[in-house]
Amino acid sequence: MLIVYLLKKSTIGNTILCRLDSVKQVLIRVLFLVALFLVTNSHAINNNPINKSIAYKVLKSNKTIGTIKVIRTEGNDGITYKLESDIEARCVLKFHIVGSEQSVYKDGNLVFSSVFRKVNDNVKVNHEVVLDDNKYKVKTDKGEQDLELTSIHNNLVTLYFKEPKNINFIYCDNIRKNAPVQVLGNGKYKVEFSKSKYNIFHYKNGKCIKVEAYSALFDVTLIPVLS
C-alpha cells in the first residue's frame, strides 16, 4: 500500500510540475509579446512627425491679394519648414508672385534650404544652400560657391513659429546673408534687409499674430487665418 501511495504521489507531483512549467512558458511568451508591443509602439510614436501649420492672408490696403502657408514638421530626423506663397498685386503693372521655400534643421543647425520665386513668368530667385563638410555651399543653375557664414541656427521662416528673443541677426534665404533683428518693444521685431525693405513681426504670448512687409514697390500685411 505504501508503494502504491508513493507512486500516486509522484505522479501527481509530476503533473503539477508539468502544469507549472506550462504556465511559466505561457507567461514568458505573454511578457515577451507585451515588451515587443511596447517597443514597437514606442518606436512608432517617436517616428510619428509632429506637424504645425500657419496660413496667412496677405492684405494690401485692407484687400486680400494672396496667401502664405507655412508648415513646420518635427521628427527624429530633425525639423523641416516649408513655405508656399501665391500673391497677385498691382502697382502700375500687375504682378503675380509665386514662391516656395524649404529649410531643414538637424541638431539645431541648418543643413539645407531652397528658395524659388517667380514674378509673372520671370524666375527671380532659384537657389539651394547645403551644409557640406561644415561649410555652406550655394548652388544655382550657374554653378556653386561658398556662403560666407559658418553657422546658421535660425532663418526667416522660423520667425513664423517662434519669437526671436535674444537673436541679433537672422539668416535671410532670399538675399543669402544675415539680416539684423531690432527689438521695437511690445512684442515687435524689425528685420531689415535693406534701407527700403524690411519686415516687422508682431508677437503675443510667443505667437506671431501679424507681419508687416515694407518695400519700395508696395507694402503688405500678413494676418493669420483662424482655423
Side-chain angles (χ1 to χ4, degrees):
M1 293 295 293
L2 180 60
I3 294 174
V4 172
Y5 173 77
L6 290 175
L7 286 172
K8 287 183 178 180
K9 185 176 181 181
S10 176
T11 303
I12 295 172
N14 288 335
T15 302
I16 294 173
L17 289 174
C18 288
R19 289 181 179 178
L20 287 176
D21 188 60
S22 298
V23 171
K24 182 179 179 181
Q25 290 181 9
V26 171
L27 287 174
I28 290 174
R29 289 178 183 178
V30 170
L31 291 174
F32 174 77
L33 290 174
V34 170
L36 181 63
F37 175 80
L38 290 174
V39 171
T40 303
N41 280 271
S42 175
H43 182 71
I45 292 172
N46 289 335
N47 281 290
N48 188 25
I50 301 172
N51 292 328
K52 292 182 180 179
S53 64
I54 305 175
Y56 292 87
K57 56 183 179 181
V58 183
L59 304 177
K60 183 178 183 295
S61 302
N62 294 322
K63 181 182 178 181
T64 301
I65 62 171
T67 58
I68 292 178
K69 185 176 182 180
V70 192
I71 301 174
R72 181 184 186 274
T73 303
E74 182 176 357
N76 288 341
D77 293 335
I79 301 175
T80 300
Y81 297 87
K82 291 184 179 180
L83 183 149
E84 300 287 338
S85 60
D86 193 330
I87 301 169
E88 287 191 2
R90 183 178 293 276
C91 183
V92 181
L93 299 175
K94 185 178 180 181
F95 296 94
H96 183 201
I97 306 169
V98 177
S100 62
E101 301 180 21
Q102 183 176 1
S103 302
V104 180
Y105 285 85
K106 289 186 178 180
D107 299 324
N109 297 306
L110 182 73
V111 296
F112 173 84
S113 74
S114 64
V115 181
F116 176 84
R117 186 169 291 111
K118 185 172 69 172
V119 179
N120 295 335
D121 293 326
N122 300 318
V123 176
K124 295 295 185 180
V125 182
N126 187 17
H127 68 257
E128 296 179 351
V129 172
V130 179
L131 182 62
D132 183 16
D133 194 23
N134 295 322
K135 292 182 180 179
Y136 286 105
K137 304 284 185 179
V138 180
K139 298 181 179 182
T140 66
D141 56 356
K142 296 181 180 179
E144 183 179 301
Q145 65 183 57
D146 292 336
L147 185 67
E148 295 181 357
L149 293 172
T150 57
S151 63
I152 300 175
H153 303 294
N154 298 280
N155 63 338
L156 199 64
V157 71
T158 63
L159 296 186
Y160 291 100
F161 292 92
K162 65 178 180 179
E163 187 174 348
K165 292 182 178 180
N166 304 317
I167 295 178
N168 297 320
F169 293 91
I170 196 156
Y171 178 69
C172 177
D173 301 86
N174 189 35
I175 60 177
R176 293 183 287 187
K177 61 175 64 175
N178 280 336
V181 179
Q182 180 183 355
V183 181
L184 301 180
N186 296 322
K188 295 190 294 184
Y189 300 81
K190 180 181 179 181
V191 181
E192 189 172 21
F193 314 113
S194 65
K195 290 184 178 180
S196 60
K197 190 174 183 179
Y198 59 92
N199 288 358
I200 296 179
F201 289 81
H202 298 249
Y203 296 87
K204 184 177 182 180
N205 298 326
K207 293 183 178 181
C208 182
I209 58 172
K210 183 170 68 172
V211 182
E212 297 172 286
Y214 298 89
S215 68
L217 289 177
F218 53 83
D219 308 330
V220 296
T221 303
L222 280 61
I223 302 294
V225 178
L226 298 178
S227 57

